Amino acid sequence: MKAITFTEHALPIDNPHALIDISLPVPRPGPRDLLVEVRAVSVNPVDTKVRAGTFTKEPKILGWDATGIVREVGSEVTLFQPGDEVFYAGSIARTGSYSEFHLVDERIVGHKPRSLSAADAAALPLTSITAWELLFDRLGVVEGSGEGKCLLITGAAGGVGSMLVQLARQLTRLTVIGTASRQETADWVRQLGAHHVIDHSQPLLAQLQALGVAEIDYVASLTHTEQHFAQLIDVLKPQGRLSVIDDPESLDVMPLKRKSLSLHWELMFTRSLYETPDMINQHHLLNRVSALIDQGVLQTTVGEHFGAINAANMRRAHALVESGKARGKIVLEGF
């Protein structure tokens, strides 16, 4: 099978060896695995971080988001059968999805939305799971609740932000405030349903006060947490909740104490990495997202289609993700 790999870490993405095309044997499914013929993938910041930070001498396949068709199932599989169209975000502990065929545990796989193409669906799994878990599992918001309360989402135009804005607007009664620093990305966030958009390159509190918002109940810090941390503490109301998904070098949590603020980390790979008892929640979650897409409640967050799945196109995609200027998700389709 065709696959895209790297064998040297920390190479700049403009180096032709940063990602290369190779041929590998087709893998065989374990008891709870699906063997998926991959039709489309999307690129996430975690892809670029693993490429830059993982030492390896053997070819390593990156990628987690994928859509495809189930070709074989393991001996203990009960949720899917050959021929099913699926979408998923995989496990960081296993081989990635930049390949023609890919193995994934059925408990973290959903049925692909019928109304979307393979490419449009590939944009959804990792960001949908992250946004859903952050909002409902980490911040503890209950579906249908939130009247009179505010959610601030920093970096709302990115992949996770694009899904979080939609979930919060469509499934809760929260007032949703997103941040974006360019007109293009601010327009995107409004289109997805944010009640207000403010500029994270400017002081946050003054902009919130100009909207008539005195304090924030929930903050989802999706990028540059270290840079905005003091401001986020400042705008949160006493006993508010802060959820973080990025990788700051360090965070001094002592300033949280005065307001009794709580800090919640979200990593969508946790359930699959530790095979937690509730790992199957991601299967149910993805099926719910799929149904909401088909009902027209949610929309795909594709920003750009970069063509076929090959190393040259993937290097271009990684470069755009690393630039921090991507709007929505970058997808690639077909080998």
Side-chain angles (χ1 to χ4, degrees):
M1 67 176 185
K2 295 177 181 177
I4 301 169
T5 67
F6 75 98
T7 55
E8 299 177 67
H9 81 293
L11 289 179
I13 197 56
D14 59 358
N15 186 312
H17 297 290
L19 292 168
I20 58 175
D21 295 302
I22 67 169
S23 181
L24 293 171
V26 176
R28 306 299 304 171
R32 300 209 67 173
D33 286 341
L34 311 177
L35 177 66
V36 176
E37 182 181 353
V38 175
R39 294 297 178 88
V41 299
S42 72
V43 180
N44 293 283
V46 65
D47 302 21
T48 67
K49 292 173 184 176
V50 172
R51 191 198 82 246
T54 303
F55 178 79
T56 181
K57 292 184 178 179
E58 299 297 323
K60 183 173 180 63
I61 304 175
L62 294 170
W64 286 276
D65 273 334
T67 57
I69 299 175
V70 177
R71 293 306 185 196
E72 294 182 30
V73 300
S75 59
E76 297 178 14
V77 167
T78 60
L79 303 174
F80 299 92
Q81 59 187 3
D84 285 347
E85 292 188 283
V86 296
F87 74 146
Y88 57 89
S91 166
I92 202 167
R94 302 187 69 176
T95 298
S97 61
Y98 295 177
S99 58
E100 282 188 282
F101 293 90
H102 185 230
L103 294 179
V104 61
D105 190 299
E106 65 168 346
R107 290 170 289 179
I108 56 173
V109 177
H111 292 278
K112 183 185 83 67
R114 294 185 179 90
S115 59
L116 294 185
S117 68
D120 285 346
L124 294 167
L126 187 146
T127 55
S128 295
I129 295 170
T130 301
W132 189 290
E133 291 184 348
L134 184 155
L135 183 61
F136 298 120
D137 296 340
R138 310 300 169 232
L139 290 179
V141 177
V142 176
E143 278 194 59
S145 73
E147 181 73 30
K149 295 185 176 182
C150 293
L151 167 67
L152 176 65
I153 304 169
T154 61
V160 173
S162 296
M163 286 307 302
L164 183 54
V165 167
Q166 294 185 75
L167 291 174
R169 181 61 190 267
Q170 297 296 333
L171 301 184
T172 79
R173 304 182 72 180
L174 293 165
T175 296
V176 181
I177 304 171
T179 79
S181 59
R182 294 179 288 134
Q183 188 62 52
E184 175 191 11
T185 50
D187 290 344
W188 169 258
V189 174
R190 289 190 186 93
Q191 176 190 326
L192 293 171
H195 293 92
H196 307 287
V197 180
I198 62 176
D199 186 346
H200 50 243
S201 69
Q202 302 298 321
L204 300 179
L205 183 59
Q207 294 179 82
L208 291 171
Q209 290 174 338
L211 295 173
V213 177
E215 295 175 308
I216 296 292
D217 301 88
Y218 306 101
V219 168
S221 182
L222 308 182
T223 185
H224 296 98
T225 295
E226 209 166 6
Q227 177 182 332
H228 301 301
F229 195 55
Q231 290 194 77
L232 299 179
I233 294 170
D234 195 26
V235 303
L236 272 163
K237 66 171 47 178
Q239 302 180 86
R241 297 187 176 196
L242 168 63
S243 189
V244 176
I245 69 167
D246 62 341
D247 300 293
E249 288 188 13
S250 64
L251 281 182
D252 177 9
V253 299
M254 286 307 298
L256 301 176
K257 182 177 181 179
R258 182 175 177 85
K259 287 185 173 180
S260 294
L261 303 177
S262 57
L263 176 64
H264 307 262
W265 286 99
E266 162 56 21
L267 177 66
M268 58 79 51
F269 293 121
T270 296
R271 282 172 163 147
S272 57
L273 185 60
Y274 293 97
E275 295 197 16
T276 59
D278 63 354
M279 179 174 165
I280 199 170
N281 284 10
Q282 292 190 348
H283 164 72
H284 299 309
L285 183 167
L286 287 172
N287 281 343
R288 179 81 188 284
V289 169
S290 184
L292 291 168
I293 289 284
D294 288 339
Q295 292 162 14
V297 175
L298 302 177
Q299 67 182 68
T300 183
T301 56
V302 170
E304 295 191 59
H305 192 307
F306 268 38
I309 305 169
N310 59 49
N313 286 340
M314 193 62 74
R315 288 194 297 271
R316 291 196 302 120
H318 276 229
L320 181 54
V321 169
E322 289 177 350
S323 76
K325 296 180 179 179
R327 186 200 71 173
K329 294 295 293 295
I330 302 166
V331 298
L332 297 91
E333 181 177 16
F335 285 88

